[in-house]
Amino acid sequence: MIELAIIGLGKWGLELVKSVNEKSKVVRFNSVISRNPERIKNEAGRYNLSIYKNHKDLLNSKKIDGFVLCTPHSSHEKEIKILSRYKKPIFVEKPLALDSKSAKNIISICKKKKILLAVGQNRRFLETYLFLKKQIKKNKIGKITHIEGSFSGKSSFKDNKKSWRNKISETPLGGMTGKGIHITDLMINLNGKVEKVLARSKKILKNSQLDDSTDLILEFKNGTMGYLSTILATNKYWELKVFGSSGWIKIFNEKDLVQQIGNSKIEHINLKYKNIEKRELEEFAKCIKYNKKFPVDLNEVLENTKLFQASVKSKKLNSKFIKV
């Protein structure tokens, strides 16, 4: 059993713990590091987590095989520098960083010290996405000609207004850091680097300090185009569509998959849903055990960070196309 410590037991950190503790045969969390132990003692007790205020106390008391970082985006570089002293594998929630300089620094630190670095892009582990990717690799829809996606919902509006996720410094482009960056990750994984981006981001409802409506127009290095929307001012919506010269394939609501190959009829594909947080953490555990690389390529993570940074710049420059 691979034993992990989580740093940051907020709303999402708790979801990660719940996904594996008492449910996985290969990985579990045994401890948590928190600046406010009193605030999390009930949750920690429920999932049998020992609470520590710092890394030193934890490592003096518990055997752990890796760290899971679920903290504010802007703090990742500083925290990973500290964690790197212990030379243990690190799983960090997306986004890795808010700018490419910080992302490069993190990757360089881990590479230099030969530390496994895994970035939590959980939608990579969707059964529907894995099927879609196989279809594209088999050339079922021909050459990719266009990609569209959307990830929307009111989660940021429902969260505590004092939460770090509702600060402009941590969420500078509406739903991009929480939602949209998942879709751009999949797009880059399927279609390579983005060369130029135009971003629009506005407050439509004006009841939050965050932009609630954001979209991106993308031009990929290979010449194809793409589009993404992420709307906080609506109900949950998730979609990824890939158009090709011989057909198209679409994922809706993460679990439903539809395709049309050539002149055949539109086909609905039924796949069993599996918990993607459990799958990514079990994969992280296997990478630790067998000394493998995590399947989310760090070069793609860096490209996604560059795209996000260019998108923020585009919005600031009144939605001009910006080179990534």
Side-chain angles (χ1 to χ4, degrees):
M1 180 71 76
I2 297 295
E3 306 278 357
L4 302 176
I6 190 161
I7 304 170
L9 195 65
K11 181 180 176 182
W12 189 248
L14 192 57
E15 286 298 315
L16 294 179
V17 171
K18 285 160 63 175
S19 74
V20 294
N21 278 28
E22 299 180 4
K23 295 177 182 177
S24 175
K25 295 179 180 179
V26 298
V27 62
R28 69 184 174 199
F29 291 91
N30 66 20
S31 50
V32 55
I33 295 174
S34 175
R35 292 171 297 178
N36 303 298
E38 193 64 27
R39 185 178 63 82
I40 63 161
K41 68 177 184 179
N42 290 337
E43 289 85 357
R46 191 177 306 138
Y47 294 100
N48 200 26
L49 304 176
S50 299
I51 305 174
Y52 299 93
K53 283 190 174 182
N54 56 62
H55 315 95
K56 188 177 178 181
D57 289 348
L58 183 152
L59 292 167
N60 283 337
S61 305
K62 281 278 184 183
K63 174 200 171 289
I64 66 156
D65 299 297
F67 293 104
V68 173
L69 195 56
C70 197
T71 54
H73 319 310
S74 63
S75 69
H76 289 171
E77 182 181 353
K78 181 180 178 182
E79 291 180 355
I80 288 172
K81 279 181 181 176
I82 294 169
L83 292 179
S84 69
R85 299 172 191 164
Y86 307 107
K87 296 190 176 181
K88 290 186 179 291
I90 299 168
F91 177 102
V92 56
E93 265 302 319
K94 60 80 205 158
L96 177 62
L98 294 173
D99 61 75
S100 59
K101 182 181 177 182
S102 184
K104 285 177 183 175
N105 288 343
I106 292 169
I107 293 169
S108 177
I109 289 165
C110 292
K111 187 175 181 180
K112 187 177 179 180
K113 297 195 175 184
K114 297 181 180 179
I115 294 169
L116 170 65
L117 176 64
V119 179
Q121 289 284 1
N122 56 359
R123 269 68 183 188
R124 294 274 193 113
F125 296 87
L126 285 167
E127 284 295 313
T128 46
Y129 178 71
L130 295 171
F131 180 91
L132 178 150
K133 190 172 179 181
K134 282 180 184 176
Q135 291 293 81
I136 291 170
K137 279 192 170 183
K138 291 176 183 176
N139 202 36
K140 292 288 186 179
I141 64 167
K143 177 181 170 57
I144 292 175
T145 53
H146 189 78
I147 301 184
E148 294 181 11
S150 180
F151 189 0
S152 299
K154 296 179 180 177
S155 59
S156 293
F157 286 172
K158 291 188 291 185
D159 286 345
N160 182 346
K161 289 185 177 181
K162 294 181 180 179
S163 167
W164 61 264
R165 294 182 188 275
N166 285 319
K167 293 180 179 178
I168 296 292
S169 58
E170 298 291 343
T171 311
L173 197 66
M176 276 304 298
T177 50
K179 301 180 184 299
I181 207 162
H182 280 292
I183 302 294
T184 53
D185 170 67
L186 300 182
M187 289 177 169
I188 290 168
N189 182 237
L190 291 172
N191 202 38
K193 297 178 181 180
V194 175
E195 191 168 63
K196 290 194 292 185
V197 61
L198 183 153
R200 301 180 295 181
S201 195
K202 297 180 179 181
K203 293 179 189 176
I204 302 298
L205 299 185
K206 304 187 187 302
N207 61 350
S208 168
Q209 62 178 329
L210 303 181
D211 290 344
D212 56 39
S213 300
T214 304
D215 69 359
L216 308 181
I217 298 171
L218 308 168
E219 292 189 12
F220 289 85
K221 191 174 181 181
N222 64 12
T224 58
M225 297 184 294
Y227 175 79
L228 164 76
S229 64
T230 177
I231 313 299
L232 298 179
T234 192
N235 294 341
K236 185 179 179 182
Y237 186 91
W238 200 103
E239 185 177 60
L240 179 67
K241 296 186 284 188
V242 185
F243 299 90
S245 56
S246 305
W248 54 264
I249 185 164
K250 177 176 82 169
I251 302 170
F252 177 70
N253 197 28
E254 301 189 6
K255 301 173 186 177
D256 302 322
L257 193 141
V258 185
Q259 66 178 11
Q260 185 176 35
I261 308 299
N263 296 319
S264 63
K265 291 182 179 180
I266 293 174
E267 183 182 10
H268 293 260
I269 310 293
N270 295 313
L271 298 168
K272 186 177 180 181
Y273 179 80
K274 297 177 183 177
N275 185 288
I276 51 179
E277 289 76 48
K278 180 172 180 277
R279 291 187 77 173
E280 68 177 350
L281 288 169
E282 288 187 335
E283 185 62 32
F284 178 53
K286 289 172 186 175
C287 290
I288 293 173
K289 185 174 181 179
Y290 299 111
N291 195 27
K292 299 192 305 178
K293 283 187 177 181
F294 194 68
V296 178
D297 188 279
L298 294 176
N299 290 320
E300 293 177 352
V301 171
L302 182 56
E303 287 302 320
N304 203 13
T305 310
K306 288 178 181 177
L307 171 58
F308 175 76
Q309 187 176 5
S311 301
V312 173
K313 184 177 179 180
S314 174
K315 187 227 171 174
K316 287 180 179 178
L317 294 177
N318 297 316
S319 299
K320 292 182 179 179
F321 266 109
I322 298 296
K323 188 175 174 66
V324 175

